[in-house]
Amino acid sequence: MLLRLVSRSTACDQLRLIRGSLRRSLVTISSDEVVYSDHGDPRKVLHRVSRNLPSELGAGQVLVRMLAAPINPADINMIQGVYPVKPQLPAVGGNEGVGEVVEVGSSVSDLRRGDWVIPSFSGWGTWKTYAVCGASEMTRIPSDIPLISAATVAVNPCTAYRMLKDFEELSEGDVVIQNGANSGVGQAVIQIAAKLSLKTVNIVRSRPDLDSLVHTLKSLGATHVVTDEFVRTPEMQELMRSLPKPKLGLNCVGGKQVADILKYLEKKGSLVTYGGMSKQPLMVPTGSLIFNDVKVRGYWMTEWNKQHKNTNEMQEMWQFIGNVIRSGHLKAPVHSLVPFEQFSDAVANSMEPMTTKKQILVMDRTLVK
């Protein structure tokens, strides 16, 4: 079953009623959670449980009602046990999602009822309906952006923004080349780059619905969209000669596609790896290092967040991303809204090869129709 969002005003009215009942007592509140007790195939090890929340809030705690949470590749890897972050088992699935603060403890001053919040670190476990947690575990985000944008803002748009900002000084008209361009990060790179007046060369895998995908990416602002097969043709060389040499290459695939990007990168340019979907080692030609002096770097949003919590850089990032979302220049990824209780279907769909739709769990049917 797929869902669509109701109006913001209707949702707010419903939340006010819920907050009123919750303030009277927490003892009757239970949280439905999607958990795993062992690492393995997410389609087999995930199950749904219900547990009662504490009857009272601690002074520094908040009660959060989760609204929506996506299923990302990192979530799947974490459940499989192959991700660097390994929460203590049993664990709740999900690293990303948005919730609303329903109640705050007596000493909490930086969060208020009604604030929209996201987890401050990986492994928090967003696939649940409610949580009582320390206020420091939450980061407030703009609440005047669409719900699905808020639910998917912490990982992909932030990763895209930081990679475009932190590795090379890019100016209007500069070129960025990336593989995995139809991924969540890839789509965010396209949109943010377009807002910054940068050109993008976007590599995707060949597929039956290629024309539709090319149309989608170009509608987001992609300058060029090519296949991984086209990259190795004389026509690709001709295309790249018509453009300034890319200063920045972004890789989430690995294997031979790394060599394909490095072939076109400007001398002393940067190749930044943030994923490894092919599960193959990076193929870095010796000549790219010796004769072109390229920089091969890695990026992990989780580590950046740890080092920059409550800094000016983080505030500037949220301001920029909030503004581009409000202006319509950064849209939520192509997605399917799935009722929370149908999590198993959403997980299975997220693991299909060459999937283009982000599966997003919606915790409360009253927020959708």
mmCIF file of all heavy atoms in Angstrom, residues 7 28-29 40 67 81 84 106 148 204 327:
data_model
loop_
_atom_site.group_PDB
_atom_site.id
_atom_site.type_symbol
_atom_site.label_atom_id
_atom_site.label_comp_id
_atom_site.label_asym_id
_atom_site.label_seq_id
_atom_site.Cartn_x
_atom_site.Cartn_y
_atom_site.Cartn_z
ATOM 1 N N SER A 7 -2.420 17.517 4.602
ATOM 2 C CA SER A 7 -1.921 18.879 4.741
ATOM 3 C C SER A 7 -1.204 19.054 6.067
ATOM 4 O O SER A 7 -1.470 18.367 7.045
ATOM 5 C CB SER A 7 -3.081 19.874 4.655
ATOM 6 O OG SER A 7 -3.889 19.764 5.805
ATOM 7 N N THR A 28 0.959 5.015 29.786
ATOM 8 C CA THR A 28 0.145 4.236 28.862
ATOM 9 C C THR A 28 0.732 4.208 27.452
ATOM 10 O O THR A 28 0.152 3.612 26.576
ATOM 11 C CB THR A 28 -1.274 4.818 28.787
ATOM 12 O OG1 THR A 28 -1.199 6.191 28.380
ATOM 13 C CG2 THR A 28 -1.966 4.725 30.137
ATOM 14 N N ILE A 29 1.853 4.877 27.241
ATOM 15 C CA ILE A 29 2.412 4.967 25.899
ATOM 16 C C ILE A 29 3.328 3.782 25.630
ATOM 17 O O ILE A 29 4.188 3.455 26.446
ATOM 18 C CB ILE A 29 3.211 6.264 25.715
ATOM 19 C CG1 ILE A 29 2.321 7.467 26.015
ATOM 20 C CG2 ILE A 29 3.776 6.363 24.309
ATOM 21 C CD1 ILE A 29 3.082 8.756 26.060
ATOM 22 N N GLY A 40 22.297 -10.267 9.864
ATOM 23 C CA GLY A 40 21.964 -11.180 8.777
ATOM 24 C C GLY A 40 21.138 -10.483 7.722
ATOM 25 O O GLY A 40 21.099 -9.243 7.637
ATOM 26 N N LEU A 67 7.885 10.525 12.982
ATOM 27 C CA LEU A 67 6.927 10.817 11.919
ATOM 28 C C LEU A 67 7.183 10.004 10.659
ATOM 29 O O LEU A 67 6.267 9.426 10.082
ATOM 30 C CB LEU A 67 6.963 12.309 11.588
ATOM 31 C CG LEU A 67 6.711 13.261 12.756
ATOM 32 C CD1 LEU A 67 6.842 14.709 12.302
ATOM 33 C CD2 LEU A 67 5.344 13.012 13.372
ATOM 34 N N GLY A 81 25.519 -6.398 9.462
ATOM 35 C CA GLY A 81 26.704 -6.477 10.298
ATOM 36 C C GLY A 81 27.981 -6.084 9.604
ATOM 37 O O GLY A 81 29.075 -6.368 10.105
ATOM 38 N N PRO A 84 30.509 0.003 9.744
ATOM 39 C CA PRO A 84 31.416 0.301 10.868
ATOM 40 C C PRO A 84 30.711 0.546 12.193
ATOM 41 O O PRO A 84 31.257 0.242 13.250
ATOM 42 C CB PRO A 84 32.158 1.556 10.390
ATOM 43 C CG PRO A 84 32.100 1.502 8.912
ATOM 44 C CD PRO A 84 30.786 0.880 8.582
ATOM 45 N N SER A 106 12.449 18.837 32.639
ATOM 46 C CA SER A 106 12.472 20.131 33.331
ATOM 47 C C SER A 106 13.736 20.944 33.063
ATOM 48 O O SER A 106 13.712 22.176 33.158
ATOM 49 C CB SER A 106 12.319 19.911 34.843
ATOM 50 O OG SER A 106 13.364 19.072 35.334
ATOM 51 N N ILE A 148 8.707 14.824 4.016
ATOM 52 C CA ILE A 148 9.603 13.841 3.418
ATOM 53 C C ILE A 148 10.990 14.431 3.218
ATOM 54 O O ILE A 148 12.001 13.731 3.358
ATOM 55 C CB ILE A 148 9.021 13.305 2.098
ATOM 56 C CG1 ILE A 148 7.656 12.649 2.358
ATOM 57 C CG2 ILE A 148 9.965 12.307 1.459
ATOM 58 C CD1 ILE A 148 7.673 11.595 3.467
ATOM 59 N N VAL A 204 25.480 6.667 -14.800
ATOM 60 C CA VAL A 204 24.518 5.702 -14.268
ATOM 61 C C VAL A 204 24.707 4.369 -14.992
ATOM 62 O O VAL A 204 25.314 4.315 -16.053
ATOM 63 C CB VAL A 204 23.059 6.186 -14.447
ATOM 64 C CG1 VAL A 204 22.831 7.492 -13.697
ATOM 65 C CG2 VAL A 204 22.714 6.358 -15.926
ATOM 66 N N SER A 327 13.021 26.941 -1.412
ATOM 67 C CA SER A 327 12.948 27.576 -2.728
ATOM 68 C C SER A 327 12.599 26.602 -3.842
ATOM 69 O O SER A 327 12.387 27.014 -4.981
ATOM 70 C CB SER A 327 14.292 28.250 -3.051
ATOM 71 O OG SER A 327 15.316 27.271 -3.230
#
